[in-house]
């Protein structure tokens, strides 16, 4: 029996705007997104820039409120939580942003940065704070701990800073961390160490992680399940193996195809560059039809009429939003 979900998101939608003057349409950053995360599970959200990943992160952590849809935490609607229960939710769901430089106050020492949430949220006394700060540094492998306590952000490398940010995020024993492109601003050589740390936190602290990235390869290495987003919608979801070894949606197939391969590096990089350049130019009307229509090599007329719903097409949990893979269609062509 699978464990009940830690967090369950249903029909989440986020519109920004509209501006008060003029008749501009609001930006639909997240269109209609549903998913679950179970305890100690790592779920990756993959998609190019502008697909709505950060907005999902902000909705999950309460930084932004949804325009529509619900978020349930331990089967309780977050929108209905009050006071203590809401505080507890905020403690249990923490975010790690992309940029550790911006996330840390340049004037605060590592010790102060890590002590603050312990005092504010857990009301620990000085001795317990000292002990827990050292423990956190040990967990994120900033050792010897004593050396790091007095350091300020400008005395740390990018990777060390992100480890401090992660230590602060886990300080209050959250159940879920939303990590929004946590390694994309770090040197390539230290990225895998930080991802390895997230994996260790999942297994040793039973932490669930929503890992947001535009890098399909790291999603495959780190996560149990992968959700692929395109222009505010989840177009495909499944185990990392399902999505990357048997991609069904034309956009996922394209992403998998674009994973750099040593022998074909030149050719594939140029395709990715082209795609990123055309991504914003190919905007279609966001509320009718498939958002991928303009870029899809196999689109049909009906794709413009109504967006295909995401549905399970390969047992037990591989879901895709594409008319090519409607269960009925699959049966017809067998
Ligand atoms: N505060 C905001 N106001 C208006 N539009 C926004 C805001 N934040 C994000 N957007 C727009 O919403 C869409 C999704 O953005 P975002 O969630 O940041 O995507 P990603 O993290 O995948 O790059 C983009 O078109 C972006 O320009
Ligand atoms: Mg983002």
């Amino acid at each position: 029996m699978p464990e009940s979900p830690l967090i369950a998101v249903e029909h989440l939608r986020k519109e920004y705007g509209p501006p008060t003057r003029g008749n501009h349409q609001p930006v639909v950053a997240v269109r209609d997104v549903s998913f679950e995360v179970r305890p100690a599970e790592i779920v990756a959200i993959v998609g190019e820039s502008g697909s709505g990943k950060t907005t999902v992160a902000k909705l999950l952590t309460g930084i932004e409120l949804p325009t529509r849809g619900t978020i349930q935490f331990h089967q309780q609607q977050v929108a209905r939580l009050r006071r203590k229960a809401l505080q507890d939710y905020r403690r249990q769901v923490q975010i790690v942003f992309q940029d550790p430089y911006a996330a840390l106050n340049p004037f605060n020492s590592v010790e102060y940065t890590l002590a603050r949430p312990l005092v504010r949220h857990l009301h620990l006394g000085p001795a317990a704070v000292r002990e827990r700060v050292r423990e956190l540094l040990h967990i994120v492998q900033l050792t010897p701990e004593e050396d790091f306590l007095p350091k300020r952000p400008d005395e740390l490398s990018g990777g060390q800073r992100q480890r401090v940010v992660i230590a602060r995020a886990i300080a209050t024993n959250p159940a879920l961390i939303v990590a929004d492109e946590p390694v994309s601003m770090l040197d390539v050589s230290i990225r895998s160490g930080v991802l390895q740390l997230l994996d260790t936190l999942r297994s040793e602290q039973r932490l669930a992680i929503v890992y947001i990235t535009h890098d399909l390869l790291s999603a495959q290495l780190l996560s149990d399940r992968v959700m692929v987003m395109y222009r505010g919608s989840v177009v495909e979801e499944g185990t990392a193996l399902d999505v990357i070894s048997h991609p069904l949606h034309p956009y996922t197939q394209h992403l998998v195809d674009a994973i750099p391969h040593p022998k074909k590096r030149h050719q594939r990089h140029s395709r990715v560059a082209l795609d990123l350049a055309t991504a914003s130019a190919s905007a279609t009307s966001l509320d009718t039809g498939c958002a991928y229509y303009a870029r899809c090599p196999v689109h049909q007329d009906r794709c413009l009429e109504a967006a295909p719903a995401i549905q399970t097409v390969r047992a037990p949990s591989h879901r895709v939003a594409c008319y090519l893979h409607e269960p009925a269609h699959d049966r017809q062509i067998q």
Side-chain angles (χ1 to χ4, degrees), residues 25-277:
Q25 295 292 311
V27 174
V28 184
V30 171
R31 203 169 166 181
D32 180 357
V33 165
S34 304
F35 64 93
E36 293 177 353
V37 182
R38 291 171 194 284
E41 185 178 35
I42 303 185
V43 176
I45 303 181
V46 181
E48 65 198 22
S49 179
S51 54
K53 305 180 302 294
T54 294
T55 302
V56 169
K58 289 179 171 172
L59 293 170
L60 285 176
T61 48
I63 297 171
E64 295 281 0
L65 294 176
T67 308
R68 234 184 277 154
T70 56
I71 300 173
Q72 295 203 0
F73 185 68
H74 286 302
Q75 286 144 328
Q76 302 245 312
Q77 273 219 33
V78 173
R80 299 212 184 117
L81 299 178
R82 295 285 173 267
R83 294 174 193 200
K84 272 215 153 17
L86 187 59
Q87 267 177 19
D88 188 54
Y89 173 72
R90 298 227 146 134
R91 179 186 68 75
Q92 296 247 29
V93 180
Q94 294 285 326
I95 192 161
V96 170
F97 283 115
Q98 181 176 16
D99 184 0
Y101 295 75
L104 295 171
N105 183 326
F107 300 108
N108 292 342
S109 67
V110 168
E111 182 168 29
Y112 182 87
T113 298
L114 298 183
R116 222 159 72 129
L118 301 173
V119 175
R120 272 172 66 166
H121 298 291
L122 302 184
H123 312 293
L124 298 185
V129 167
R130 278 170 56 84
E131 192 183 327
R132 178 68 175 151
V133 167
R134 281 160 181 74
E135 187 183 25
L136 288 167
L137 287 173
H138 178 76
I139 291 171
V140 299
Q141 296 147 21
L142 290 177
T143 53
E145 297 85 337
E146 297 301 321
D147 290 359
F148 285 93
L149 291 172
K151 292 215 158 114
R152 288 173 213 283
D154 65 356
E155 298 171 282
L156 302 170
S157 70
Q160 290 170 339
R161 279 190 202 115
Q162 197 58 304
R163 285 172 191 268
V164 173
V165 171
I166 292 169
R168 180 176 61 185
I170 63 168
T172 55
N173 294 315
L176 174 72
I177 283 206
V178 181
D180 188 2
E181 310 226 25
V183 298
S184 60
M185 291 186 72
L186 305 181
D187 286 349
V188 173
S189 59
I190 55 171
R191 286 181 185 176
S192 71
V194 173
L195 294 179
Q196 192 75 57
L197 170 63
L198 292 176
D199 195 37
T200 306
L201 291 176
R202 173 263 282 279
S203 42
E204 290 183 3
Q205 321 269 325
R206 277 192 60 73
L207 191 65
I209 299 172
V210 172
Y211 170 59
I212 293 176
T213 181
H214 56 260
D215 170 24
L216 201 55
L217 207 54
S218 68
Q220 179 184 24
L221 293 176
L222 186 65
S223 62
D224 305 305
R225 281 191 300 126
V226 173
M227 279 169 36
V228 180
M229 281 189 77
Y230 184 77
R231 295 183 70 85
S233 297
V234 176
V235 297
E236 183 157 0
E237 182 192 344
T239 62
L241 191 68
D242 280 341
V243 172
I244 292 159
S245 303
H246 305 281
L248 295 176
H249 195 281
Y251 177 57
T252 319
Q253 287 172 349
H254 162 73
L255 287 179
V256 170
D257 197 34
I259 292 176
H261 186 281
K263 287 191 187 141
K264 293 190 179 171
R265 184 161 287 165
H266 180 70
Q267 173 206 337
R268 295 191 182 218
H269 271 188
S270 55
R271 273 190 65 176
V272 180
L274 177 72
D275 260 17
L276 290 177

